[in-house]
Structures are given as C-alpha cells and as structure tokens.
Amino acid sequence: MFFKNVTIHRLPAPWAVSAEQMEKWLEPHAFQPANTVEMQRQGWASPRDNGSLVYTLNRQMLLVFRAEKKLLPGSVVTQFTKVRAQELEEQQGFKPGRKQMRELKEQVTDELLPRAFSISRDTRVWIDTVNGWLVIDAASKQIADDVLGLLVKSVGTLPLSSVRVSRSPVSAMTEWLVSGEAPTGFTADQDTELTSPGTGNATVRYSGHALEAEDMRRHIESGKQCMRLAMTWEDRVSFVLTPSLTLKRITPLDVIKESSDPTATNADEIFDSEFTIMTGEMAKLFTSVIEALGGEVDEQKQAA
C-alpha cells in the first residue's frame, strides 16, 4: 500500500471538495481501452475495481491514473515498410519518393496496430483534503506530468501549487554530511550521491557504506554537492531525498508494519487499515521533511 516514489504538491488546507464532487469531475475522463487504430489511451480507473473512481476514507482520497500503450516496435514497422516499398518499386518501375515512403509507413502502422500487444500502467494519486497534499506515486517526472495534466483537465480549476521550502535540499543535505549530523528526528543512512556541478559532473556514490564525516568533508571541499541522501525518519520510514524534493525508495519499517489493525480480516478491512496508516504516517513525514528544510515559503507574502 505504501507509495514508493512520491512527487508532492500543495492544495489549500483544508480543501473543501467531497468525494462525490471529485467523482463527477473524473467520470467524463474514465479510462476506456484503446481501439484498434489508437496507439495509446489514458484515463481514471477504479482504485478498488468496484466501479467507483474515488476511494475515500477519513477525508483522504485515492485515485488511479491508467495509461495503455500499444507495443509496436519501430523496427517491425520499418521491416514491413521496406517490403511494401520493394513491391511498389516493382509495380511502378522506380523507387518510391519521400512522400510515398511516408504514406507507406502510415499505412503499415495502421494495418499492424490491431495486432499489436497492449500494456497498461497504473499510477496512484493520494489527495489529502485535510492537510492539503496532492501526492503522485511516480518516480518518473514524465509520468507525474501526465497524471497532473489529466487531473487539471478533469477538475478544471485545480488550486495546485509547488512545495517551496526556505532551504535548498542540495545545500541542506550537503551541510548535514559536512557536520555529520542529520536534522532532529532523522538519521542519515548509508547511501548518498555527491556530484561536482562543474565541467564533467564528477560523481561519487556510496551504497551500503558508512558516511564518515571526514570523507564527506573531503569530497565537499573539492566542490561536490549532495544530490541524493538516504534517510530514516523517527525509525519509522526510510527514503531517499532528492534536489527536487521528491522522496524515493520509501519503505515503512517494522514498527509501522506491526501497527496494522489485527482485527482486519477481509480484503476491504485490510485495505482500509493500510491506507489509514500510510496517509497518517506520510503526512507527518512530509511535515517533518519540510521543517528540516527551514519550513514552507509563503508565496503570497513573498510576492508582497
């Protein structure tokens, strides 16, 4: 249930939108499988496969963005196009020109599409209407952008903003490594990446290796900056912090796994329990990460 890689955005807190209203917004954009002449489709799917496009509990919403794509390798299209081009050359007595080759390629693509395999990918979206978080479970920026694009199209006037903090994650992570001290409530784990922003982008990576303060200082004094840092929050959740404030490789630790509701027996009860735990823990984690980075910047006050 826990999201693995999250892109975080801000909504008003609280955000006065009901699950019923969200359902109405999403319905016109519900996922429908691609037809025989389409390369891809995207839309909203049911998080619990029960027909509802919004799963909600304690004013926390879960949505699922589904993207379907036909697998039609370019090499296959090229191979079939060459065969057609040879046949056309024999018929007309000369090689096809650029326009004819383009038309042949389009024709071959249209003919092969109905025979192409389809793959689908689901991306989960969590909306915390109480604390004002919109969280996308995606490591790829492109996928996150696709999800946001459809959400904005569905909702129309989505009051969304970026999470802006007082301190750059890069400078903060670099300072933590130099001092050998993580912020209160956090520990630095044994994975990090330091990169020199100058020509060549020289990079040093540590994986499963103790981050000795002296070694870190030596790298940083040579001009490197920390671009990734594995951390653990309150002995409850481990993750990797990045310059864009995305959290990757999120893993709940044993203390959280053991807190699941022991009375939950069926699939729905277990799902409810796990969703409640995840949303509660991650909302607190986000708040702690932002505090460690100097707190949020109030864009309205800054503009004034």
Side-chain angles (χ1 to χ4, degrees):
M1 165 56 71
F2 252 76
F3 284 19
K4 299 298 182 184
N5 305 280
V6 300
T7 303
I8 311 167
H9 296 273
R10 261 304 188 191
L11 289 167
W15 190 35
V17 170
S18 67
E20 292 74 19
Q21 179 61 65
M22 182 63 71
E23 186 88 28
K24 290 180 181 178
W25 283 334
L26 301 186
E27 280 178 356
H29 305 278
F31 176 80
Q32 298 293 334
N35 60 37
T36 57
V37 297
E38 290 179 314
M39 281 295 294
Q40 57 188 9
R41 272 283 187 95
Q42 62 183 32
W44 301 109
S46 174
R48 298 294 292 141
D49 294 325
N50 58 5
S52 175
L53 299 178
V54 181
Y55 165 85
T56 182
L57 183 67
N58 300 325
R59 297 178 63 193
Q60 309 292 318
M61 299 183 195
L62 182 67
L63 319 178
V64 170
F65 170 90
R66 179 166 296 167
E68 181 186 71
K69 185 176 182 179
K70 295 286 185 67
L71 290 180
L72 186 56
S75 58
V76 174
V77 174
T78 299
Q79 179 183 350
F80 276 80
T81 302
K82 285 182 178 179
V83 172
R84 293 292 178 84
Q86 290 174 353
E87 294 173 351
L88 183 58
E89 181 180 351
E90 293 173 359
Q91 293 172 9
Q92 63 187 18
F94 57 88
K95 290 185 177 181
R98 288 186 178 180
K99 182 179 179 182
Q100 285 182 305
M101 287 299 295
R102 185 168 59 251
E103 292 173 346
L104 280 176
K105 188 173 183 179
E106 292 173 353
Q107 181 182 350
V108 167
T109 300
D110 290 342
E111 292 176 2
L112 292 178
L113 267 178
R115 296 154 56 186
F117 289 102
S118 296
I119 58 170
S120 62
R121 181 195 66 245
D122 286 351
T123 302
R124 297 178 298 174
V125 182
W126 160 38
I127 298 176
D128 180 348
T129 65
V130 178
N131 300 296
W133 299 113
L134 189 147
V135 186
I136 302 172
D137 187 12
S140 162
K141 182 179 184 303
Q142 182 58 60
I143 293 175
D145 287 346
D146 289 345
V147 173
L148 274 184
L150 184 60
L151 191 58
V152 169
K153 183 178 179 181
S154 302
V155 175
T157 55
L158 185 66
L160 195 66
S161 62
S162 301
V163 178
R164 299 186 61 191
V165 289
S166 298
R167 297 190 62 194
S168 156
V170 172
S171 64
M173 291 188 292
T174 302
E175 180 182 308
W176 298 337
L177 289 181
V178 168
S179 66
E181 295 183 6
T184 303
F186 293 88
T187 56
D189 297 335
Q190 297 185 331
D191 291 70
T192 191
E193 179 180 303
L194 299 104
T195 300
S196 176
T199 303
N201 291 323
T203 299
V204 175
R205 295 183 180 89
Y206 284 78
S207 179
H209 192 286
L211 307 182
E212 300 292 344
E214 188 59 38
D215 291 340
M216 298 300 104
R217 276 194 290 271
R218 187 175 69 254
H219 288 304
I220 292 166
E221 287 172 358
S222 71
K224 294 183 178 65
Q225 296 177 316
C226 183
M227 304 304 289
R228 289 171 179 262
L229 180 62
M231 308 182 76
T232 294
W233 168 72
E234 299 286 0
D235 294 326
R236 302 178 72 80
V237 180
S238 67
F239 64 96
V240 174
L241 181 61
T242 71
S244 61
L245 202 53
T246 58
L247 307 186
K248 298 188 175 184
R249 287 167 35 194
I250 298 173
T251 305
L253 303 183
D254 289 343
V255 66
I256 291 180
K257 295 176 182 178
E258 294 168 358
S259 65
S260 58
D261 185 358
T263 65
T265 55
N266 61 50
D268 288 338
E269 291 175 343
I270 294 172
F271 191 91
D272 289 350
S273 174
E274 292 180 348
F275 184 69
T276 299
I277 292 171
M278 184 197 77
T279 55
E281 294 292 335
M282 292 188 71
K284 289 184 284 188
L285 168 62
F286 297 159
T287 299
S288 295
V289 169
I290 288 172
E291 288 178 352
L293 295 172
E296 283 189 84
V297 173
D298 189 320
E299 295 185 5
Q300 292 182 345
K301 288 183 178 180
Q302 193 175 59

